[in-house]
Amino acid sequence: MKMTLICRILLPILLLAGLTACGPIEPWVKPYERDRLADPIMALDPDPVSTAYIHHVFEAREGSRGGEGSAGGGCGCN
Amino acid sequence: MNCRRTIIIACTLLFAAAGTAAAGVLPDDRADILYHLYDGGGVQIDGPSILVRKKVGKSVSFVANYYVDMVSSASIDVVTTASPYTEEREQMSLGMDYLRGNTTMSVSFTNSEESDFTANSYSFSVSQDMFGDLTTLTMAYSLGDDEVRRSDDDTFVREADRQFYSIGLTQIITRDLIMGLNVETITDEGFLNNPYRAVRYADGTNPVGYSYEAELYPNTRTSTAVGLRARYYLPYRAAIQGEYRFYTDTWGILSHTGAISYTHPWGPWTFTGKFRFYTQDQADFYNDLFSRSEATNFRARDKELSKYVSQDFRLQASYELFKDGWSFLDKGTVNLIYDQLLIDYDNFRDLTTGALVGEEPLYTLDAGVYQLFFSFWF
């Protein structure tokens, strides 16, 4: 009984997960929905020269380093 | 001096990474001219930073940066163990991005020169846009070679090298929210001391109650930092950003960094306010006052390795100069940024007060950091 219940619930989920893994992932935010992300105020690092300088100021006075870099915006707005 | 080494690599990677802001497109052509001034704790550092980025064809972009620090120092370390000094550091970076499909490959080189220190670093990174450009994955590697000298000893030359591994993931979560995750590991090997810095130890034979001897650091260090950022678009056209970073290393330093910022456009103006909070534990071999000479295998009294809390308050104003373009320029901005930096040290004492040994007041640093820069897109 318990086995049947588990099979009924889990099997479709596993099957669906398996099918999703095989197919392409559909972007859940379409390109035409990215106007807000394309706004300059949403840039994670709009001023690279200033960012490099202030990282310099902090790293010269702190024991820590790294982990605050710019790893891309990825908004695909252009 | 060990700080400078990391900074140079960080700059190299930053410009490489800036080139991959969106892996499927090359960054815009732009020029930035910045003047910076740091003033606090008896230290004044100022100078220019100039960056130019230009595309050549449809798949290649070049970037160059020239940066100068002109230092005039009478810091707490200098006035207690040495004499005030002035020096200049020049840094030059060159980089190139190559775009192919949704992949951007970047290489860059940075050289930094001062009278007693030379550093070179070489960086390579790859960025890939995935899942309909919702995700950008960036992997970077950097190699640094340093030469440490002493201005008062021509025979003193030491080497150090450094390797830097980084993985970054930027993810669009919703049409209003974007997040970035960075994991960075840095390994150092070689002479990691500052050759001038000294530790103090209790010494009853000295009238002031203590004496100095040279610092001695381990020859290796490995650190790992994990940073997370999220930026959210508010309904009335403004943006709010939160940041957190966890850091740990083999010297025993553990730190937390948190920041929150708010950006608000108003006509041609854009205003930003930011608060950054930083706290760290001391390195295992740090001590403000050692019990005796050579009390431990490794020893440091560098306040950057002590335990402390730091707060930074920032105000930024940007003004758009010509929205509809002018001559060959598409647009431009003029920007003014002021940072107020406050650091309260938990176990680094101010020896200039002449108080009893070990009972001197704890040191605090209060500094102003100014940036004025022009940015042009063409």
Side-chain angles (χ1 to χ4, degrees):
Chain A
M1 183 68 177
K2 191 182 278 183
M3 194 64 190
T4 313
L5 189 66
I6 289 170
C7 286
R8 275 185 188 170
I9 297 169
L10 277 185
L11 213 60
I13 293 172
L14 290 172
L15 199 64
L16 191 65
L19 287 172
T20 309
C22 295
I25 295 175
E26 283 294 319
W28 58 90
V29 182
K30 307 291 183 195
Y32 55 84
E33 293 178 320
R34 298 177 195 173
D35 51 329
R36 295 175 191 165
L37 296 168
D39 192 314
I41 66 167
M42 283 298 284
L44 284 171
D45 181 22
D47 307 308
V49 175
S50 173
T51 304
Y53 169 68
I54 204 67
H55 282 184
H56 172 116
V57 169
F58 289 136
E59 290 198 1
R61 286 156 192 84
E62 295 174 352
S64 306
R65 52 193 192 172
E68 292 187 303
S70 309
C75 81
C77 326
N78 292 315
Chain B
M1 188 164 286
N2 56 314
C3 298
R4 278 181 255 172
R5 299 163 176 161
T6 316
I7 290 160
I8 291 156
I9 288 192
C11 289
T12 311
L13 276 171
L14 189 72
F15 292 122
T20 58
V25 291
L26 286 170
D28 294 334
D29 292 347
R30 66 184 290 171
D32 297 86
I33 304 159
L34 178 144
Y35 170 76
H36 59 85
L37 168 65
Y38 171 93
D39 187 7
V43 179
Q44 275 203 341
I45 306 169
D46 72 334
S49 179
I50 299 164
L51 180 139
V52 178
R53 175 177 279 285
K54 181 81 179 80
K55 283 194 273 282
V56 177
K58 291 183 177 177
S59 56
V60 176
S61 173
F62 290 93
V63 61
N65 176 234
Y66 175 69
Y67 177 93
V68 177
D69 271 339
M70 287 178 285
V71 183
S72 172
S73 179
S75 70
I76 182 72
D77 300 317
V78 165
V79 296
T80 50
T81 61
S83 304
Y85 66 90
T86 58
E87 69 172 353
E88 185 174 314
R89 181 172 77 89
E90 274 191 326
Q91 181 179 299
M92 175 69 85
S93 302
L94 292 170
M96 186 190 81
D97 304 301
Y98 173 65
L99 172 68
R100 186 178 173 86
N102 283 334
T103 307
T104 303
M105 286 166 275
S106 305
V107 291
S108 59
F109 167 73
T110 297
N111 167 257
S112 175
E113 290 283 352
E114 52 197 291
S115 60
D116 54 1
F117 184 70
T118 300
N120 293 308
S121 76
Y122 314 85
S123 179
F124 174 72
S125 73
V126 181
S127 275
Q128 176 73 39
D129 272 359
M130 297 180 291
F131 311 136
D133 297 343
L134 291 182
T135 305
T136 303
L137 179 69
T138 303
M139 290 181 284
Y141 171 75
S142 207
L143 178 69
D145 291 317
D146 303 343
E147 184 178 280
V148 184
R149 303 179 293 273
R150 280 188 71 116
S151 59
D152 56 354
D153 181 359
D154 290 341
T155 63
F156 184 94
V157 179
R158 298 288 186 276
E159 305 283 337
D161 60 59
R162 179 165 299 96
Q163 299 191 70
F164 187 117
Y165 308 87
S166 167
I167 294 179
L169 185 75
T170 305
Q171 181 67 54
I172 291 174
I173 307 295
T174 68
R175 57 187 300 182
D176 297 313
L177 178 63
I178 186 166
M179 295 184 77
L181 174 71
N182 278 280
V183 181
E184 296 179 21
T185 292
I186 305 171
T187 62
D188 309 83
E189 189 168 8
F191 185 80
L192 307 180
N193 285 41
N194 180 321
Y196 303 106
R197 209 183 292 274
V199 298
R200 68 169 183 152
Y201 61 91
D203 182 1
T205 65
N206 192 317
V208 295
Y210 59 84
S211 295
Y212 288 102
E213 63 184 348
E215 283 191 332
L216 184 58
Y217 288 11
N219 286 332
T220 60
R221 182 185 190 187
T222 299
S223 66
T224 301
V226 180
L228 185 67
R229 294 186 291 179
R231 194 168 180 90
Y232 183 74
Y233 188 96
L234 295 166
Y236 52 91
R237 193 173 178 244
I240 189 165
Q241 179 164 323
E243 301 170 32
Y244 171 74
R245 178 182 65 162
F246 174 78
Y247 171 90
T248 182
D249 69 25
T250 53
W251 286 3
I253 297 174
L254 188 146
S255 79
H256 302 277
T257 310
I260 187 161
S261 66
Y262 175 75
T263 300
H264 192 107
W266 186 56
W269 293 90
T270 302
F271 299 99
T272 299
K274 182 171 183 176
F275 173 65
R276 180 181 186 271
F277 181 83
Y278 175 85
T279 179
Q280 77 169 43
D281 284 338
Q282 67 168 59
D284 295 334
F285 50 93
Y286 172 87
N287 204 327
D288 181 63
L289 177 65
F290 286 89
S291 58
R292 59 179 172 81
S293 174
E294 300 184 355
T296 53
N297 286 343
F298 301 113
R299 46 195 178 270
R301 191 178 172 269
D302 180 347
K303 62 183 181 300
E304 282 78 50
L305 302 183
S306 70
K307 182 180 180 185
Y308 64 86
V309 171
S310 162
Q311 297 174 79
D312 181 71
F313 302 88
R314 161 176 286 209
L315 288 174
Q316 175 173 0
S318 302
Y319 183 79
E320 195 160 355
L321 289 173
F322 19 84
K323 195 174 182 178
D324 300 321
W326 180 69
S327 185
F328 67 96
L329 300 174
D330 294 334
K331 66 169 184 170
T333 59
V334 56
N335 307 268
L336 185 64
I337 302 178
Y338 174 70
D339 282 272
Q340 179 70 48
L341 180 63
L342 304 166
I343 304 180
D344 290 313
Y345 294 91
D346 281 6
N347 53 0
F348 180 81
R349 296 185 180 276
D350 184 352
L351 308 187
T352 60
T353 58
L356 287 173
V357 178
E359 295 180 15
E360 301 93 345
L362 293 168
Y363 185 65
T364 59
L365 176 69
D366 185 350
V369 187
Y370 307 82
Q371 298 176 66
L372 172 65
F373 63 99
F374 294 85
S375 299
F376 302 104
W377 286 261
F378 49 88

